[in-house]
Amino acid sequence: AKRSGRGTYRFFVDAMAEQSRSRRLLEEDLRRALSRGEFALHYQPFVDLATGGVRGVEALIRWFHPRRGLISPAEFIPVAEECGLIDPIGDWVIQEAVTAARKLPRHMTVAINLSPIQLKRPGFTLGVIHALGDSGLSPERLEFEITETALLNQDGSILAALGQLRDLGIRISLDDFGTGYSSLSYLRSFPIDKIKIDRSFVADLVDSTDSAAIVRAVVGLGHDLGIETTAEGVETSDQAVMLTAMGCTAGQGYLYARPAPIDDIIASLTTRYPT
Ligand code: C2E
Ligand code: CA
Ligand code: CA
Ligand code: CA
């Protein structure tokens, strides 16, 4: 028993050493990724459920690592947040996305994911104003997505920054809604224009009456509070039919389109909605 105990211990020590080594390597590579042009943005449309028309697109970052290939933002964004790289990467995302948005039809918005760290940086709002000025995109066509977990236990600086952005006419979305804590209180204390219902609820929608009840309640709450609702991760037409019947504003997911470079999205818009 003693030996197997020690063996297990050794296993964990080795595993942890390996983990911190690969983490250090990832961090080093991440430091060079921006200047080496290894990032790209893909865009995923979101669709008006009542009309089927594309309302806008969400920018999603992609990292093409020279050796490892494509690395998911779910893996490297948390690393970037911890090692202070989220600000330069986030600035690049904003610059790139507002420029790309100029290529879209004027009624469409572009949504950008934000880390709470970006919102806490003094001067963030000013940077956004400059990016909008340089690109000529009007603030009404820009949306920022922030997760409810990001709002947890924050000082007033995030609330103040969100208020400033909203005063400019930029829209604020609450991302991954339903996965964090005390979601409902955020709707009262933060200036929110849109709720994005987390994909996990949408995935269960057809088979789970509980998930269906939650989604219906969130959509109803949105209606009453004047907040739009977007369902994430819509993959089947059954899900879309249910969401439409519930009065959900918009849907986003593989059923409509996968994330793709902006020119591919624009090409698909003109074939699907010829002018
Ligand atoms: P998110 O903001 O919740 O983005 C939605 C994720 O779901 C994206 O993953 C998207 O590709 C994926 N998705 C979309 N439709 C479907 C579907 O029908 N089924 C399934 N299974 N998945 C779908 P992605 O692109 O890997 O991004 C993961 C997360 O990384 C994002 O989650 C967001 O939190 C973060 N992220 C992405 N880009 C940025 C960025 O520029 N800045 C920051 N701070 N975070 C980002
Ligand atoms: Ca998002
Ligand atoms: Ca989300
Ligand atoms: Ca997410």
Side-chain angles (χ1 to χ4, degrees):
K2 228 178 190 172
R3 254 179 75 173
S4 85
R6 206 175 295 142
T8 310
Y9 174 73
R10 266 289 287 280
F11 170 79
F12 280 120
V13 170
D14 290 351
M16 279 170 69
E18 173 54 30
Q19 208 176 25
S20 78
R21 200 182 77 93
S22 67
R23 163 64 199 257
R24 256 197 330 274
L25 288 175
L26 190 73
E27 206 177 299
E28 278 171 31
D29 291 344
L30 203 51
R31 277 185 204 290
R32 301 186 200 106
L34 203 53
S35 61
R36 292 184 176 179
E38 292 168 4
F39 293 121
L41 291 184
H42 282 183
Y43 298 84
Q44 187 181 36
F46 47 93
V47 169
D48 188 308
L49 284 171
T51 67
V54 174
R55 284 266 193 114
V57 298
E58 177 181 0
L60 294 158
I61 194 168
R62 299 290 176 258
W63 181 14
F64 298 96
H65 190 281
R67 288 184 318 279
R68 291 182 51 191
L70 190 64
I71 300 180
S72 163
E75 184 180 346
F76 72 82
I77 290 290
V79 178
E81 287 177 338
E82 280 173 42
C83 67
L85 287 169
I86 195 65
D87 282 326
I89 293 172
D91 286 348
W92 177 84
V93 169
I94 293 170
Q95 204 71 245
E96 186 80 10
V98 297
T99 308
R102 286 297 310 275
K103 299 186 184 178
L104 292 168
R106 288 176 155 275
H107 66 279
M108 292 187 191
T109 60
V110 64
I112 297 174
N113 292 284
L114 282 190
S115 154
I117 295 168
Q118 293 174 270
L119 276 172
K120 277 196 212 168
R121 187 182 70 196
F124 174 77
T125 311
L126 203 59
V128 172
I129 293 172
H130 284 144
L132 286 170
D134 292 346
S135 69
L137 191 78
S138 90
E140 290 74 23
R141 294 184 60 195
L142 180 58
E143 276 176 40
F144 282 129
E145 299 191 359
I146 180 151
T147 63
E148 47 177 346
T149 342
L151 302 179
L152 195 71
N153 300 325
Q154 296 291 352
D155 51 76
S157 62
I158 291 213
L159 183 60
L162 288 177
Q164 285 175 349
L165 294 167
R166 204 157 179 250
D167 288 345
L168 290 171
I170 296 166
R171 296 153 54 85
I172 309 295
S173 296
L174 204 46
D175 208 350
D176 300 350
F177 190 80
T179 57
Y181 297 99
S182 57
S183 321
L184 296 183
S185 68
Y186 294 134
L187 298 180
R188 203 177 49 187
S189 39
F190 288 93
I192 301 296
D193 301 287
K194 186 193 273 189
I195 290 170
K196 297 194 79 175
I197 301 168
D198 191 69
R199 171 167 104 214
S200 54
F201 298 103
V202 177
D204 279 357
L205 193 61
V206 178
D207 298 321
S208 153
T209 49
D210 288 353
S211 287
I214 291 169
V215 173
R216 189 176 295 112
V218 172
V219 169
L221 194 67
H223 270 291
D224 291 347
L225 296 173
I227 297 173
E228 289 189 0
T229 43
T230 296
E232 295 187 313
V234 182
E235 294 184 353
T236 70
S237 46
D238 283 355
Q239 292 166 347
V241 166
M242 278 185 78
L243 290 161
T244 310
M246 289 175 179
C248 187
T249 321
Q252 187 178 5
Y254 297 163
L255 175 66
Y256 307 105
R258 288 182 181 258
I262 194 72
D263 291 336
D264 295 3
I265 296 295
I266 288 163
S268 75
L269 290 176
T270 48
T271 47
R272 273 182 65 180
Y273 308 93
T275 43

